[in-house]
Each structure stands twice: as structure tokens, then as C-alpha cells.
């Protein structure tokens, strides 16, 4: 195919995680012709709902069961995500999560409530000194340690934040954790969706005005007369505007030709990984009382996330987010069984996957601001969880603002 008759669209979005899909929905709603290219056979990326229907025949008990292997909870402060869902008329389908707490797991297996780990006296002394301090330029350890006291940080907050982030939290930028955002009061405070959070993203795609192509991994990007030429195994496409909605290491590779300086910078953004083990049990098997999740303290896992907030009639599910490279499969099964008070033979279904996330440091938001300044007038947007915070809401917010920037570019 020559350069002239190459398929050309207004915008190509690379990656169909939440960042790519919110961008694509917004571009398409503005009347642009949009193609989304996704490397895998599903939407979601870090949002990965494992369905037993793939292992069990339809109609058999448990065929309707799903368990989150990645992200598990969305909040009504995720406005740009909820706006996209409203566009598709699917807001009423949100599944509220039952209010359940988190417990810490001690090395001896005993469970402890978070409040038991809080020294109230130390918190009362520290709070007046810490409360007015600015977050920018401070790490999580510095800012939250200043707020509640170093001992409280070490005992309570460090393991809790590591459980949230599936990685050590100390050096993480404080300004990227728990930002206040307006809430959509008509939506449940915490929710999932039929089929899990991946079902929510699938709802953004069903009947959407953009064209989503699966198993269309992009291997390279170059400049061309129209704007950008994007290479896949199935051939090349061209677009006037390009949105990269891939993990930071993939973005570094794809930018190497069109923005080599930014690509070199992105290559140095660190990533972390964690090993998820999902296990499914008959509902009555484990004596563990219903709980949203467990927090590991110096354990082989950062956290255990459960299906209990959206209970199922006959099954319970638990996803252990293990630290990378510590345990083999058999040792993970044994550790999971010990925590749940069962034996590995009690697990009806087991699934493993690797999750990857950025591991930003305190200087990270300033580096992103410098990249944004360089791209301000370019028909190219970087969206994803390394640019504005890790949460689904942070990703959706970044996707919306960057898509709006492209839509507003003169001559776009
Ligand atoms: C274990 C875990 C638990 C979490 N829990 C929560 C939670 O409860 N609540 C919350 O708000 N957030 C949570 N998060 C964070 C949140 O899920 C992620 O930060 C967010 O979903 C990232 O979305 P994204 O679209 O930016 O990137 P990703 O989800 O990484 O999506 C990137 C997509 O790009 C595709 N891709 C990559 N390279 C190419 C290529 N060359 N060509 C085409 N496609 C490509 C990938 O296949 C993928 O689909 C969690 C994350 C993890 C890992």
C-alpha cells in the first residue's frame, strides 16, 4: 500500500485500558473518526476480571462468577469515567460494593483491625504540625509520617499504602495519593459492574462510535504527511492526531522515532510488578469472616483482595497480590491456603497473572510537567497511569484533559 492510499483517520488511540477508552469515547463524541489499537484480545489492561464461564460450561454452578485479578474498586469521584458511562446509558448498572473493612495479617496469621495499629497519642501530637504542609515535593513517607507520626506511619500507613499500590509506598509522591475530587452523588460511593470492572469498560465499547481492533499491537510510529503513521502486524494506518495510552515502557519504545528526547526520558521512569494469584472456594469453606481485603505486614504478599463486597451465593474468591520473585506456584498456593485456613486441595479454580505499574518517585510530577510543556502544541497526547496518578480516576481525568487539548488544537 502506498503512502497515499493508506487508511487515514482523525485519531488513533494505542491501548484499550481505561485511559485509551475514555480518550476514544471523548474523541468519538466530538465527531472524530477514531480507531483504537489494542495488543491483547481484551479491553482493560490492569483492569482484569477473571470469569469462570471460560472454565465452566454455561448453566453449571459458578459459571456467572468473576474475580478481579487487577483493579477492584472504583469510586463516585471518578467523574470522567462515569461521564463516559452515562453517554452509553449504563450508569444504572453500577453495582454498589457492600461496606466491608480491611484487616492486617500478622506473621502468625492473626488478624488485626487497622485501629489497633494506631497510636492515638502520637497522632494527636503530630497532626497539628503536619496538617498544613504542602504535598508537592514531599514523599508519602515524609508527608503522611509528618501527619500521623513516624511510628504510626511504619506500623499502619506504610503496609496499608503498599497494599493499595502493590509496591513499597515510601518514595511515592504524596500529591498523587488521595486527591480530593468532586463526587457524583447519584452514583454509589464504591462500585463495580456486572462482570466486574472489565465489564464496565466493555460497556464503554458496546455500540461505541469508535472502531476497536483487538490483537493489533503497534510496533512502531513515524511521522507522515497526514500526521503519524502507525505500524501493526496487519499493516500501517495513518492519523492526524495520536494518543498513546500504553504503559510507560511501551510509550518509550513507540516514541523513539517521533519524540526521541521524550522517549529517552520515559525509559528512565521505573516500573514495579506484582504476582496475582486468584483462588475460588466453596462459600462455606474458609472461616474468614467477610472482608474487603487483607493487608500483609512484612509478608510474601502486599494484599489480598476479596469478592466479598459483591457476594456470590455459592462461591468466594480471593486475589493474593504477591511480591515479585519470592514464591513459586506451589508455595503461593500453600501461603494462600494457610491465610484462608483451608488446604490447596480446597481451591476449585486458580489463576495467576503478572501486574505491572509505574513506580514514581517524588520528582515525578515535575518531570511530567516538563514533558507536557514540550507536547503542548503537538497533535500527540500521552495518557496513562504514569502521568497523573495510578488510580482509574486519575487515568480517566488525564485522558479527558489531554483529549480535550487535542480537540482544541487549532486546525485539528
Ligand atoms: C493489582 C492492581 C490493583 C489496582 N487496584 C485499583 C483499584 O482498586 N482502584 C483503582 O482506581 N485503581 C487500581 N489500580 C490502578 C489502575 O487499575 C491502573 O493504573 C489503570 O487501570 C491503568 O490504566 P491505563 O489504561 O493507563 O493502562 P493499562 O491498564 O496498563 O492499559 C494499557 C493497555 O495498552 C495495551 N498495550 C500495551 N502496549 C501496546 C502496543 N504496543 N500496542 C497496542 N496496545 C498496547 C495493553 O495491552 C493494555 O490493554 C490497580 C492496579 C493494579 C495493577
Amino acid at each position: 500500500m502506498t503512502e497515499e492510499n493508506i487508511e487515514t483517520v482523525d485519531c488513533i488511540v494505542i491501548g484499550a485500558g481505561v485511559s485509551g477508552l475514555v480518550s476514544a469515547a471523548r474523541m468519538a463524541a466530538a465527531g472524530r473518526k477514531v480507531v483504537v489499537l489494542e495488543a491483547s484480545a481484551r479491553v482493560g489492561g490492569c483492569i482484569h476480571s477473571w470469569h469462570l464461564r471460560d472454565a465452566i460450561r454455561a448453566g453449571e454452578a459458578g459459571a456467572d462468577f468473576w474475580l478481579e485479578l487487577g483493579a477492584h474498586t472504583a469510586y463516585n469521584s471518578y467523574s470522567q469515567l462515569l461521564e463516559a458511562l452515562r453517554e452509553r446509558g449504563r450508569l444504572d448498572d453500577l453495582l454498589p460494593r457492600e461496606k466491608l473493612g480491611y484487616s492486617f495479617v500478622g506473621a502468625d496469621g492473626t488478624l488485626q483491625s487497622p485501629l489497633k495499629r494506631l497510636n492515638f497519642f502520637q497522632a494527636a501530637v503530630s497532626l497539628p504540625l503536619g496538617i498544613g504542609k504542602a504535598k508537592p515535593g514531599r514523599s508519602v513517607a515524609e508527608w503522611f509520617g509528618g501527619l500521623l507520626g513516624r511510628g504510626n506511619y511504619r506500623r499502619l500507613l506504610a503496609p496499608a499504602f503498599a497494599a493499595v499500590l502493590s509496591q513499597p509506598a515510601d518514595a511515592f509522591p504524596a500529591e498523587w495519593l488521595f486527591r480530593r475530587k468532586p463526587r457524583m452523588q447519584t452514583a454509589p460511593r464504591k462500585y463495580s459492574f456486572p462482570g466486574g470492572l472489565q465489564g464496565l469498560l466493555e460497556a464503554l465499547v458496546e455500540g461505541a462510535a469508535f472502531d476497536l481492533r483487538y490483537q493489533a499491537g503497534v510496533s512502531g510510529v513515524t511521522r507522515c504527511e497526514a500526521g503519524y503513521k502507525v505500524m501493526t502486524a496487519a499493516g500501517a494506518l495513518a492519523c492526524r492526531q495520536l494518543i498513546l495510552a500504553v504503559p510507560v515502557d511501551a510509550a518509550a519504545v513507540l516514541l523513539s522515532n517521533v519524540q526521541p528526547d521524550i522517549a529517552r526520558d520515559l525509559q528512565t521512569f521505573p516500573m514495579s510488578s506484582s504476582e496475582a494469584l486468584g483462588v475460588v472456594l466453596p462459600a462455606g469453606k474458609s472461616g474468614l469472616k467477610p472482608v474487603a481485603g487483607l493487608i500483609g505486614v512484612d509478608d510474601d504478599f502486599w494484599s489480598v483482595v476479596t469478592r466479598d463486597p459483591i457476594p456470590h451465593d455459592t462461591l468466594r474468591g480471593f486475589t493474593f497480590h504477591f511480591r515479585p520473585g519470592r514464591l513459586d506456584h506451589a508455595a503461593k498456593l500453600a501461603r494462600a491456603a494457610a491465610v484462608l485456613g483451608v488446604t490447596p486441595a480446597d481451591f476449585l479454580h486458580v489463576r495467576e497473572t503478572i501486574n505491572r505499574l509505574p513506580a514514581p518517585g517524588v520528582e515525578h510530577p515535575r518531570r511530567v510537567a516538563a514533558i507536557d510543556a514540550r507536547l503542548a502544541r503537538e497533535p500527540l497526547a500521552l495518557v496513562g497511569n504514569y502521568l497523573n496518578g495510578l488510580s482509574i480516576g486519575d487515568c480517566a481525568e488525564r485522558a479527558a484533559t489531554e483529549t480535550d487539548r487535542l480537540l482544541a488544537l487549532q486546525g485539528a
Side-chain angles (χ1 to χ4, degrees):
M1 205 177 246
T2 62
E3 194 98 316
E4 296 81 61
N5 60 12
I6 223 171
E7 181 186 359
T8 302
V9 293
D10 294 320
C11 180
I12 292 177
V13 178
I14 307 178
V18 62
S19 300
L21 293 179
V22 168
S23 294
R26 220 165 166 100
M27 268 284 165
R32 304 297 160 98
K33 189 167 185 218
V34 182
V35 170
V36 182
L37 299 172
E38 166 56 43
S40 74
R42 64 173 183 88
V43 295
C46 296
I47 296 172
H48 183 181
S49 312
W50 165 39
H51 287 259
L52 289 192
R53 64 170 178 242
D54 303 333
I56 297 179
R57 276 196 303 268
E60 269 186 57
D64 60 338
F65 190 82
W66 51 264
L67 180 66
E68 301 292 7
L69 297 177
H72 43 92
T73 310
Y75 298 85
N76 62 1
S77 56
Y78 294 178
S79 352
Q80 293 81 3
L81 179 73
L82 292 173
E83 269 171 39
L85 200 61
R86 196 209 305 264
E87 288 251 326
R88 307 248 45 80
R90 298 292 300 274
L91 263 188
D92 291 344
D93 290 342
L94 293 175
L95 275 184
R97 285 169 60 91
E98 277 186 15
K99 230 176 164 180
L100 292 173
Y102 284 80
S103 290
F104 284 77
V105 190
D108 59 355
T110 53
L111 299 188
Q112 200 179 35
S113 93
L115 278 186
K116 286 248 167 69
R117 300 180 77 83
L118 181 70
N119 177 328
F120 285 92
F121 177 73
Q122 190 179 63
V125 171
S126 303
L127 260 173
L129 302 171
I131 206 148
K133 293 225 170 101
K135 278 184 173 177
R138 290 195 164 84
S139 68
V140 158
E142 191 185 349
W143 197 83
F144 288 94
L147 194 67
L148 286 191
R150 305 274 158 229
N152 278 326
Y153 179 80
R154 202 182 57 253
R155 275 188 310 277
L156 174 69
L157 298 181
F161 292 163
V164 169
L165 299 170
S166 294
Q167 59 180 290
D170 293 0
F172 199 84
E175 65 202 278
W176 274 15
L177 210 57
F178 308 132
R179 264 176 303 184
R180 263 177 194 278
K181 294 190 186 125
R183 294 181 177 279
M184 186 188 274
Q185 298 297 346
T186 49
R189 194 178 160 84
K190 293 182 189 186
Y191 54 85
S192 184
F193 203 78
L197 287 178
Q198 198 180 308
L200 191 157
L201 294 193
E202 283 159 7
L204 298 186
V205 170
E206 276 164 30
F210 55 83
D211 173 8
L212 168 60
R213 302 182 191 174
Y214 291 104
Q215 292 175 321
V218 174
S219 52
V221 176
T222 53
R223 293 302 300 237
C224 69
E225 207 178 317
Y228 297 97
K229 187 170 150 191
V230 169
M231 266 67 73
T232 74
L237 287 92
C239 58
R240 284 173 269 283
Q241 297 190 322
L242 179 65
I243 300 182
L244 254 59
V246 295
V248 61
D249 49 354
V253 172
L254 295 180
L255 283 177
S256 59
N257 195 290
V258 290
Q259 288 285 347
D261 292 348
I262 295 178
R264 268 191 295 277
D265 194 11
L266 295 187
Q267 270 168 18
T268 66
F269 279 39
M271 295 280 293
S272 67
S273 69
S274 57
E275 298 171 2
L277 175 86
V279 297
V280 180
L281 286 164
K285 205 64 169 178
S286 168
L288 184 73
K289 66 173 180 21
V291 62
L294 302 174
I295 298 165
V297 183
D298 299 326
D299 210 312
D300 293 316
F301 56 84
W302 299 114
S303 67
V304 184
V305 175
T306 83
R307 232 316 277 267
D308 294 347
I310 303 180
H312 186 264
D313 289 346
T314 57
L315 299 173
R316 285 181 84 185
F318 305 85
T319 301
F320 285 72
H321 293 286
F322 283 102
R323 297 181 194 230
R326 280 222 189 172
L327 302 182
D328 64 16
H329 183 67
K332 282 179 197 161
L333 288 176
R335 184 72 193 113
V339 170
L340 299 173
V342 299
T343 71
D346 292 321
F347 297 145
L348 300 173
H349 303 277
V350 173
R351 175 68 79 87
E352 270 198 284
T353 192
I354 306 276
N355 284 309
R356 297 172 71 245
L357 282 172
V362 73
E363 79 298 346
H364 204 91
R366 256 62 56 202
R367 291 176 68 183
V368 171
I371 291 174
D372 282 350
R374 288 165 62 175
L375 291 180
R377 308 189 69 76
E378 296 289 327
L380 165 72
L382 302 183
V383 301
N385 56 10
Y386 60 100
L387 296 146
N388 183 50
L390 264 54
S391 82
I392 295 167
D394 295 334
C395 292
E397 183 182 57
R398 167 83 188 183
T401 50
E402 276 299 289
T403 305
D404 291 351
R405 177 180 70 77
L406 291 190
L407 285 168
L409 271 188
Q410 249 195 343

